[in-house]
Amino acid sequence: MPQGLEVFNEQGLSVFNSADRVVRIIGVITGTEAAPSSGSVTVPLEYFNNNTLFYFLTETAVGLTPLGKALSGARINVSGSTIVYSSVPCNIIYGVY
């Protein structure tokens, strides 16, 4: 028999089910338009346990330049558990789900 936790709201709709994938933020790489970030980060393997690595960018650190224009020279590559980035003018938030 399966076990887990499921939470319902007042209307009887499921708002959380422990069988669903839950996002886990692992870190933030800080970059700005004035000081774009470059480097790499390797996520420890203990975070992967059937999880998938993800990242997203935050526009708030870019300033007045539109994000698309600011990112024109940026490069981000994910290989296994490593994120390699160069000339990224905003924050990169990464984790697993």
Side-chain angles (χ1 to χ4, degrees):
M1 175 200 246
Q3 297 178 347
L5 172 70
E6 189 166 10
V7 179
F8 299 89
N9 66 12
E10 297 82 16
Q11 290 78 34
L13 300 173
S14 177
V15 293
F16 176 80
N17 186 338
S18 63
D20 293 342
R21 288 184 150 192
V22 178
V23 171
R24 182 173 188 175
I25 302 294
I26 297 171
V28 177
I29 300 161
T30 303
T32 65
E33 191 173 6
S37 61
S38 295
S40 67
V41 63
T42 299
V43 177
L45 293 177
E46 62 260 21
Y47 288 106
F48 281 92
N49 217 9
N50 293 323
N51 291 319
T52 302
L53 180 64
F54 75 91
Y55 70 89
F56 62 93
L57 308 175
T58 60
E59 186 173 359
T60 56
V62 174
L64 299 177
T65 304
L67 183 60
K69 183 176 180 184
L71 287 173
S72 63
R75 301 287 176 260
I76 302 174
N77 183 42
V78 176
S79 179
S81 63
T82 301
I83 302 171
V84 179
Y85 53 95
S86 63
S87 303
V88 178
C90 58
N91 293 342
I92 304 170
I93 298 174
Y94 63 92
V96 295
Y97 69 94

